[in-house]
Amino acid sequence: MSDTNEAGYQGIEQLPMREFTERAYLDYSMYVILDRALPFVGDGLKPVQRRILYAMSELGLSAVSKPKKSARTVGDVLGKFHPHGDSACYEAMVLMAQDFSYRYPLIDGHGNWGSPDDPKSFAAMRYTEARLTPFAALLLSELGEGTVDWTANFDGTLQEPMALPARVPHVLLNGATGIAVGMSTDIPPHNLREVAAACQALLKRPSSTIADLCEFIPAPDFPTEAEIISTRADLLQLYESGNGTIRMRARWQMEDGDIVVTALPYQTSGNRVLEQIAAQMRAKKLPLVEDLRDESDHENPTRLVIVPRSRRVDSERLMSHLFATTDMERSVRANFNVIGLDGRPRVRDLRELLSEWLAFRIRTVRRRLEHRLDKVARRLHVLEGLLVAFLNIDEVIAIIRNEDEPRPVLMQRFDLSEEQAEAILELKLRHLARLEEIKIRGEQSELEEERKHLEKILGSEQRLRTLVGKELAADAERYGDERRSPLADKVSAAQALDETELTPSEPVTVVLSQRGWIRAAKGHDVDPETLAYKSGDGFSHAAIGRSNQPVVVLDSTGRAYSLLTHSLPSARGQGEPVSGRVDPPDGVDFVSVLAGDSQARHVIATDAGYGFVVSQGDLLSRNRAGKAVLNVPAGARVLPTAPVPAADNPLWLAAVSSDGHLLVFDLEALPEMPRGKGNKILGIPPARIKAGDERLAGIAVLGPGQKLVVTAGKRQMTLRTQDLDTYRGERAQRGRLLPRGWRNVSQLQVES
């Protein structure tokens, strides 16, 4: 390309916009990936974390020193190594100090460093103080022993390490999270002793499979003590692919009838969990819970108390519901994406990750031993020169006293190197004693032994690997601890309760009025006819059941509608219209209400004389338009249903016509069906139904020993078992007439 462009400007490079933007975006992407978001497999740190730890070590902030203001550390990091925002740098520093975020914190923070409920609630850096933890020594202790490469800082005035010489696989121990351009990483924390054991196994048997390594590392180990409920197969798949999720569940126990949550999943806020439970309580979707309390303190970082409404509440089912509907059970993402020894980011499986770190560690130990061997050799070289001086002390003193430039004379006279001659010239007079010669020979002997030992290790790959394993075992014993996140063997899947299971089981009486208004009264001893009704309205039908059971309303077209009993208005008022909760056809009336268990049975019929037995479960419907159950002939109407008692046979069905014909027959003669017209119950004339025709007036089911109460106008007659024998017959027969004065029957009732 010419040095001069078309406009005549020199030194300006011209590029097509497409090529320029592609190159600029690629450069930015690689910077974010390599210098900001992803950790290095060797020390498990991102650049900002590495610079913070190095700056603190340079400030002398070791675990035994007095802490200094965090602002001092952040200032050093920004001014010397990391020219970026102070808030981002301080947040990275805070993360390394939070014992609920890091499995093995690297910074010992003094002051407010956030809480599990709000990790970002830490105080400003001008208020807090910090120093390194003892564990941080595992990353920094070998820094000055020639173990790592160094590079210039951003302005070229200082040197900083390109990586820290980690003595343990920190990339797995504290994990990492980060989002780069087109990739991310989420490495969960692990237990030091387990990881060290896996590394030792891999050193001894390089052919170990991932399944073999998972015998030592069964799962991640989080700072929290919540249970890991992922299956062993899922965890093995995670370690084989380097990608997956870990399912965690809160731990709880019973104390004096209360449920006490003692551990929450990783990075879960206790306040957030309480808010989720409280929201369900406010929405009346969790009536099983009476109260919530947060009793967390310094001694008990997590202590959430859930007070059940009563001791009859099934705590296991309640907690299963809360696991399914709150953050007390959640998944933690895992993605083992790190920058490898080749400088390239890639997702690695467990074996690749450990193998690559071991290669880094072996290389680091080799460089440390070579650095030490070089120092030992130089010291032995100096000691040889000092020994020559002691053996020829008089001549050496004479040369130093008489020569203007004694160094070259000493070098020529005794065949010394410049370094040896300089060491002789720097000797103090007190070191010329006879005892000093003995010390030199002793030190020389010790260093000779050390040199042979170092050369022996460096000359054998197996000895080097053995040394790495021993050091790793010693560090794990000193800094390691027991697993915090237990693995659950058998865990049932969390399942949210439906509304009927969440509702307390209380006895209720559901009352339906003549105009289709419905309400529920507590208890089974309610007389519905004595309740207050709107002007022009009155009692129509009632059924007894429990508050956690659905109620069914039957309309005049034979359609059934399901309602939630606990949601019905109280009987203290006048209720509300059923039509406000369902979508019935125009102009229908609601004639009957059914309550009780879904296994309960009822006889439903029309006044045309047809009917059948139906299970209440067959009447339930989620549709607001209801469910067609009973076929109603033209001109006929639906009768109030007759509940079938839960008693042994024989059960008898009593049916009476509008002209006073009463028939009692075995209930088994009437079929049980989910829907339809049914069979003929009473043999009334099969004429087309019109005004004045004889109709089926009422039905009732009697169990053993029960009595039938016949109501005609204001008069009542009780028929006992022996009285009913007169009216027994077969289904569909005409029946026998009741006595005169009792033939205008308005109602049949059953009494025990």
Side-chain angles (χ1 to χ4, degrees):
M1 182 180 292
S2 173
D3 291 337
T4 304
N5 64 6
E6 295 177 358
Y9 295 101
Q10 294 184 349
I12 296 178
E13 182 183 7
Q14 287 185 331
L15 287 174
M17 179 64 72
R18 177 179 178 181
E19 184 179 341
F20 171 77
T21 54
E22 181 179 348
R23 182 187 299 177
Y25 187 71
L26 183 60
D27 290 344
Y28 167 74
S29 302
M30 293 307 297
Y31 166 75
V32 173
I33 291 170
L34 300 178
D35 291 332
R36 186 186 299 178
L38 301 187
F40 174 56
V41 68
D43 57 13
L45 298 172
K46 302 175 187 179
V48 64
Q49 297 171 324
R50 186 179 301 119
R51 288 162 178 165
I52 290 171
L53 296 178
Y54 176 63
M56 293 183 73
S57 69
E58 289 295 289
L59 284 170
L61 294 176
S62 67
V64 295
S65 66
K66 184 180 178 181
K68 292 182 180 179
K69 286 289 185 181
S70 302
R72 171 74 183 277
T73 298
V74 173
D76 262 37
V77 173
L78 300 186
K80 294 180 179 179
F81 310 112
H82 197 72
H84 296 280
D86 60 338
S87 60
C89 179
Y90 183 47
E91 282 192 23
M93 182 177 175
V94 167
L95 185 68
M96 292 189 288
Q98 292 176 337
D99 57 4
F100 51 86
S101 296
Y102 262 39
R103 181 63 176 81
Y104 301 96
L106 300 174
I107 293 176
D108 178 16
H110 293 214
N112 177 14
W113 291 78
S115 67
D117 287 331
D118 188 3
K120 294 187 180 294
S121 62
F122 48 84
M125 57 185 171
R126 61 182 177 273
Y127 299 119
T128 61
E129 296 180 340
R131 61 183 177 184
L132 295 171
T133 62
F135 183 84
L138 294 177
L139 302 178
L140 296 162
S141 61
E142 298 177 355
L143 197 56
E145 300 180 18
T147 51
V148 295
D149 296 326
W150 295 72
T151 185
N153 68 338
F154 63 91
D155 60 2
T157 59
L158 296 170
Q159 292 286 308
E160 63 174 310
M162 298 179 67
L164 298 184
R167 293 174 58 91
V168 291
H170 180 254
V171 67
L172 277 177
L173 300 182
N174 277 323
T177 60
I179 299 176
V181 179
M183 61 178 61
S184 65
T185 184
D186 289 281
I187 305 174
H190 289 74
N191 184 274
L192 172 55
R193 291 180 179 174
E194 294 176 354
V195 174
C199 289
Q200 289 175 281
L202 197 57
L203 285 169
K204 295 176 182 177
R205 297 183 300 277
S207 61
S208 298
T209 64
I210 296 177
D212 296 333
L213 298 177
C214 285
E215 293 295 324
F216 303 96
I217 308 177
D221 188 25
F222 296 91
T224 176
E225 296 180 0
E227 283 185 320
I228 295 176
I229 61 174
S230 297
T231 64
R232 299 300 175 101
D234 290 342
L235 293 171
L236 179 60
Q237 175 65 27
L238 161 67
Y239 287 124
E240 286 178 341
S241 63
N243 210 321
T245 57
I246 303 102
R247 196 74 178 164
M248 299 191 71
R249 177 178 289 182
R251 297 178 69 188
W252 60 281
Q253 60 192 27
M254 296 297 297
E255 291 185 11
D256 299 328
D258 296 340
I259 298 171
V260 180
V261 179
T262 57
L264 291 171
Y266 184 52
Q267 294 180 332
T268 297
S269 165
N271 285 341
R272 171 64 177 159
V273 169
L274 292 179
E275 289 173 3
Q276 291 172 332
I277 300 175
Q280 295 187 45
M281 295 172 65
R282 287 193 298 269
K284 296 184 178 180
K285 293 183 177 180
L286 196 59
L288 298 180
V289 176
E290 179 73 24
D291 191 21
L292 296 174
R293 295 196 304 272
D294 186 356
E295 298 182 355
S296 304
D297 53 27
H298 289 291
E299 293 184 2
N300 302 288
T302 301
R303 184 178 172 83
L304 309 181
V305 181
I306 303 171
V307 183
R309 184 173 293 273
S310 71
R311 292 185 179 271
R312 296 192 303 272
V313 172
D314 186 344
S315 56
E316 293 283 350
R317 292 286 291 129
L318 173 58
M319 290 305 296
S320 178
H321 169 79
L322 294 178
F323 290 147
T325 57
T326 70
D327 286 346
M328 279 200 282
E329 180 176 321
R330 61 182 300 189
S331 293
V332 179
R333 187 170 179 268
N335 180 26
F336 295 109
N337 190 6
V338 297
I339 299 172
L341 298 180
D342 57 359
R344 297 181 179 180
R346 183 168 60 86
V347 176
R348 290 160 171 80
D349 60 39
L350 179 62
R351 188 178 183 280
E352 290 176 323
L353 205 60
L354 294 179
S355 298
E356 199 156 350
W357 181 82
L358 285 173
F360 168 82
R361 181 59 187 161
I362 291 172
R363 185 181 69 185
T364 301
V365 173
R366 182 182 293 277
R367 293 181 62 168
R368 186 192 77 198
L369 297 179
E370 289 173 346
H371 179 266
R372 176 60 184 167
L373 181 61
D374 185 51
K375 288 183 66 175
V376 168
R378 289 202 305 272
R379 180 60 179 168
L380 284 172
H381 181 64
V382 169
L383 291 176
E384 288 177 4
L386 293 176
L387 199 57
V388 169
F390 276 102
L391 294 176
N392 302 276
I393 189 66
D394 294 334
E395 188 175 356
V396 168
I397 292 174
I399 292 174
I400 294 174
R401 290 183 64 184
N402 299 326
E403 297 292 337
D404 294 335
E405 293 291 338
R407 179 187 301 169
V409 177
L410 289 173
M411 293 172 61
Q412 183 178 5
R413 172 66 184 84
F414 299 109
D415 194 19
L416 301 175
S417 67
E418 185 175 348
E419 187 177 9
Q420 289 173 320
E422 186 65 28
I424 293 172
L425 292 173
E426 289 180 355
L427 275 175
K428 296 180 180 180
L429 289 176
R430 64 183 178 187
H431 291 158
L432 298 178
R434 175 66 182 169
L435 188 61
E436 196 67 27
E437 179 184 351
I438 298 174
K439 290 182 180 179
I440 290 175
R441 292 188 180 276
E443 182 182 357
Q444 193 176 37
S445 176
E446 290 177 2
L447 291 179
E448 281 289 350
E449 288 295 325
E450 185 178 355
R451 180 169 65 177
K452 292 178 182 178
H453 178 66
L454 292 174
E455 289 175 345
K456 185 183 294 185
I457 295 176
L458 289 171
S460 170
E461 183 69 19
Q462 184 57 44
R463 283 193 174 92
L464 188 61
R465 296 172 71 90
T466 301
L467 176 62
V468 169
K470 287 181 178 179
E471 291 180 349
L472 194 56
D475 291 335
E477 182 64 28
R478 180 177 180 184
Y479 295 99
D481 55 9
E482 296 299 322
R483 166 174 282 275
R484 293 186 189 172
S485 301
L487 276 70
D489 292 330
K490 293 183 180 179
V491 178
S492 58
Q495 185 174 0
L497 300 172
D498 59 33
E499 289 192 68
T500 58
E501 291 178 294
L502 289 170
T503 305
S505 179
E506 299 174 345
V508 294
T509 301
V510 182
V511 182
L512 181 69
S513 75
Q514 295 170 0
R515 291 190 174 180
W517 286 59
I518 194 168
R519 49 186 155 167
K522 291 185 178 180
H524 288 168
D525 55 352
V526 178
D527 184 358
E529 296 189 15
T530 62
L531 298 177
Y533 294 89
K534 285 182 173 292
S535 177
D537 199 2
F539 170 70
S540 172
H541 198 233
I544 61 173
R546 305 197 74 82
S547 56
N548 63 341
Q549 296 171 338
V551 64
V552 175
V553 180
L554 206 62
D555 72 7
S556 56
T557 67
R559 299 186 71 84
Y561 307 87
S562 300
L563 301 175
L564 297 174
T565 306
H566 70 272
S567 68
L568 297 179
S570 170
R572 294 174 182 172
Q574 294 174 333
E576 64 181 48
V578 178
S579 57
R581 295 180 173 238
V582 297
D583 298 328
D586 295 334
V588 303
D589 297 323
F590 297 98
V591 298
S592 188
V593 62
L594 297 80
D597 189 79
S598 60
Q599 303 299 320
R601 298 190 301 157
H602 304 267
V603 177
I604 58 176
T606 63
D607 62 358
Y610 289 86
F612 56 92
V613 180
V614 65
S615 171
Q616 185 160 326
D618 291 330
L619 302 177
L620 299 177
S621 171
R622 296 181 179 271
N623 193 344
R624 282 179 59 95
K627 178 179 182 181
V629 177
L630 181 62
N631 295 341
V632 182
R637 66 181 182 87
V638 179
L639 296 176
T641 59
V644 178
D648 296 331
N649 288 331
L651 293 175
W652 302 89
L653 176 64
V656 66
S657 73
S658 56
D659 287 352
H661 285 87
L662 176 64
L663 174 66
V664 179
F665 63 88
D666 192 339
L667 184 64
E668 289 189 351
L670 195 65
E672 183 170 343
M673 305 164 55
R675 62 170 58 91
K677 178 181 178 181
N679 286 11
K680 198 164 193 178
I681 295 175
L682 188 63
I684 57 179
R688 191 167 54 182
I689 297 177
K690 56 185 183 295
D693 286 347
E694 184 180 9
R695 302 183 181 217
L696 181 61
I699 54 176
V701 180
L702 298 88
Q706 291 185 318
K707 296 172 287 187
L708 182 67
V709 179
V710 180
T711 302
K714 295 183 179 180
R715 304 170 63 192
Q716 287 187 337
M717 176 176 60
T718 301
L719 299 176
R720 295 174 174 79
T721 303
Q722 59 271 26
D723 301 326
L724 293 173
D725 290 341
T726 307
Y727 301 95
R728 295 191 193 278
E730 300 295 328
R731 181 185 62 79
Q733 288 183 347
R734 183 79 168 126
R736 295 192 62 177
L737 278 171
L738 290 166
R740 291 184 182 275
W742 301 92
R743 294 179 182 175
N744 188 19
V745 178
S746 59
Q747 189 178 15
L748 291 181
Q749 290 178 295
V750 177
E751 285 187 358
S752 299

